[in-house]
Amino acid sequence: MLRFLTAGESHGQGLVVILEGLPAGLQITVEEIQLEMARRRLGYGRGPRQRFEQDELTLIGGVRHGRTLGSPLAIEIKNSEWFRDDKWHEEMSPAPGATKDPLTKVRPGHADLVGMQKYGFTDARDVLERASARETAARVAAGAVAKKLLGELGASVISHVIQLGSVRADVSRRPTVADMASVDESPVRCFDKTAELAMIEEVKDAAKDGDSLGGVVEVLGYGVPMGLGSYVHWDRKIDADLARGIMSIHAVKGVEIGEGFSGAGQRGSVAHDAIVWDEQSKDYRRETSHAGGTEGGITTGELLVVRAAMKPLATLNRPTLKTVDVKTKEAAVSFKERTDVTAVPAAGVVAETMVAMVLATESLRKFGGDSVAEFVRNARAFKATLS
Ligand code: EPS
């Protein structure tokens, strides 16, 4: 079983992530983790912070001479801004004290008001620092390791943006692992070049208006082993784990596996995937991929398809929605925080992380092993029983 925990505030000194349950002998380097983190900073419509944030990381524990030890892996990610701008030292100091400038005109759609009510705070910064999607940087660092583990089984998790604002991509052609470099080169991480241009225009328009945009990302799992998850109990279903992982991402309001909501309107005779025996590969095949690679809460071994719908970012560069100053209870316009126009391209990379984490966890549950060699051996032995 794989478990991970993150800590850290958006404008504090940095983030920390601990990943526990990895087998020994997995080869991993700081550079590989950094590459994944750099992918998360990509995307047209991100704010100025992404240009200077370095995501400088240190492997504090769990890795020796480029491979895991089987002990908890700990990664520290420094926030560049803390080191380049003294203002945060005072504002985010852990020492006793108080801010001179509490934020009280809460932002609609954000965690500000509910967080203040729930925890008894009088300054929205006490909420927003942890509610910020900056935390996903730590997840992606851990996700890089989970992806590396899945790679040992021949599985890869990739993503692309299929909707940004109102612009939808043509999804009839899906990217493969080999297409990922070109998707990452796209400023909006879109595989459909025609839609890409329209998406960029939509971001430009929203930026001009000081507004924000949401969208939909699609995560694809290639080479996912058959047999992860189970139908035997509600909390063992892989669909449920995937949905929970995806919905835990900031601003995500919807999740689909396979055709999801659109499949609900079809007849059963067309909505399901016919099963055939493939003599060449000596394996079962589904003729279509409506179900998205799961049946009965178990991965089928076919392409895994998970989609996440992200609402437009709640922080607006030009706040227009009515709100209340929680100190005076008077109507107000919310305070202004620096923000991105959209983070949908980045959300794809975070969604990959959450899917990879679920698949790695379930692979370890199914195949076990204290070393990578044992884990891979067990997976191969299981696969050999299938044909
Ligand atoms: C975020 C607001 C912006 C984003 C940040 C998430 O930060 P800031 O207010 O410091 O400009 O850039 O994302 C990251 C820093 C990151 O690494 O993704 C928010 O409020 O969620």
Side-chain angles (χ1 to χ4, degrees), residues 10-11 40 46 49-50 81 132-134 337-338 340:
S10 183
H11 301 99
R40 196 196 61 96
R46 303 247 28 213
R49 181 160 174 189
Q50 300 309 322
E81 195 167 21
S132 161
R134 171 71 188 151
E337 279 278 294
R338 183 181 58 189
D340 309 321

Side-chain angles (χ1 to χ4, degrees), residues 174 256-264 266 270-271 289-292 305 307:
R174 285 195 163 117
E256 285 185 327
I257 296 186
E259 285 177 8
F261 284 87
S262 67
Q266 289 172 342
V270 292
S289 60
H290 303 308
V305 182
R307 291 174 173 181

Side-chain angles (χ1 to χ4, degrees), residues 17-32:
V17 56
I18 295 183
L19 185 59
E20 199 275 326
L22 282 172
L26 180 68
Q27 292 190 355
I28 190 83
T29 62
V30 164
E31 290 73 24
E32 283 170 311

Side-chain angles (χ1 to χ4, degrees), residues 65-364:
H65 298 160
R67 83 237 190 286
T68 56
L69 296 172
S71 54
L73 190 133
I75 307 171
E76 182 196 53
I77 303 150
K78 290 201 169 76
N79 284 333
S80 319
E81 195 167 21
W82 173 276
F83 297 93
R84 77 198 284 272
D85 188 346
D86 286 351
K87 97 172 185 203
W88 295 113
H89 292 214
E90 200 178 321
E91 195 58 43
M92 293 303 293
S93 170
T99 182
K100 291 188 225 63
D101 188 21
L103 303 172
T104 55
K105 295 169 182 161
V106 294
R107 295 164 300 171
H110 225 292
D112 298 349
L113 178 58
V114 285
M116 290 171 88
Q117 288 180 302
K118 181 172 168 68
Y119 289 93
F121 293 138
T122 53
D123 176 9
R125 184 161 301 286
D126 285 329
V127 176
L128 70 88
E129 283 291 334
R130 182 63 185 168
S132 161
R134 171 71 188 151
E135 183 262 350
T136 60
R139 298 197 204 187
V140 169
V145 185
K147 280 185 174 181
K148 203 71 205 287
L149 183 68
L150 290 173
E152 296 287 335
L153 302 180
S156 311
V157 180
I158 63 170
S159 71
H160 61 136
V161 171
I162 59 169
Q163 186 179 337
L164 211 167
S166 61
V167 182
R168 285 169 198 261
D170 170 12
V171 287
S172 57
R173 232 182 101 242
R174 285 195 163 117
T176 63
V177 177
D179 297 314
M180 252 320 89
S182 99
V183 169
D184 283 346
E185 269 164 30
S186 158
V188 283
R189 299 198 67 255
C190 181
F191 191 48
D192 170 357
K193 294 291 157 200
T194 314
E196 173 188 293
L197 295 175
M199 286 176 181
I200 293 171
E201 284 311 307
E202 185 133 338
V203 176
K204 278 188 193 161
D205 279 352
K208 233 182 286 156
D209 298 338
D211 219 326
S212 64
L213 293 174
V216 181
V217 297
E218 183 175 79
V219 183
L220 302 169
Y222 285 94
V224 174
M226 182 283 139
L228 308 184
S230 179
Y231 56 84
V232 298
H233 200 241
W234 66 268
D235 61 355
R236 302 261 328 258
K237 288 175 185 271
I238 197 91
D239 306 62
D241 285 347
L242 290 167
R244 178 184 161 90
I246 292 290
M247 292 293 286
S248 75
I249 302 168
H250 307 69
V252 169
K253 284 293 203 182
V255 61
E256 285 185 327
I257 296 186
E259 285 177 8
F261 284 87
S262 67
Q266 289 172 342
R267 287 193 169 195
S269 53
V270 292
H272 294 287
D273 304 315
I275 301 171
V276 291
W277 174 254
D278 181 9
E279 201 42 60
Q280 216 177 352
S281 63
K282 296 267 182 266
D283 204 352
Y284 300 98
R285 285 267 157 265
R286 285 15 173 224
E287 282 187 322
T288 46
S289 60
H290 303 308
T294 74
E295 286 166 1
I298 302 176
T299 54
T300 59
E302 297 281 347
L303 179 68
L304 185 78
V305 182
V306 184
R307 291 174 173 181
M310 187 185 200
K311 68 178 182 176
L313 296 174
T315 312
L316 302 179
N317 274 314
R318 197 178 301 154
T320 45
L321 283 171
K322 262 197 318 206
T323 189
V324 174
D325 185 330
V326 296
K327 199 166 149 204
T328 62
K329 309 288 185 276
E330 280 167 12
V333 171
S334 72
F335 61 82
K336 194 172 164 312
E337 279 278 294
R338 183 181 58 189
T339 185
D340 309 321
V341 176
T342 185
V344 175
V349 179
V350 182
E352 286 174 25
T353 277
M354 295 314 295
V355 169
M357 206 60 85
V358 168
L359 296 178
T361 303
E362 288 307 306
S363 298
L364 282 166

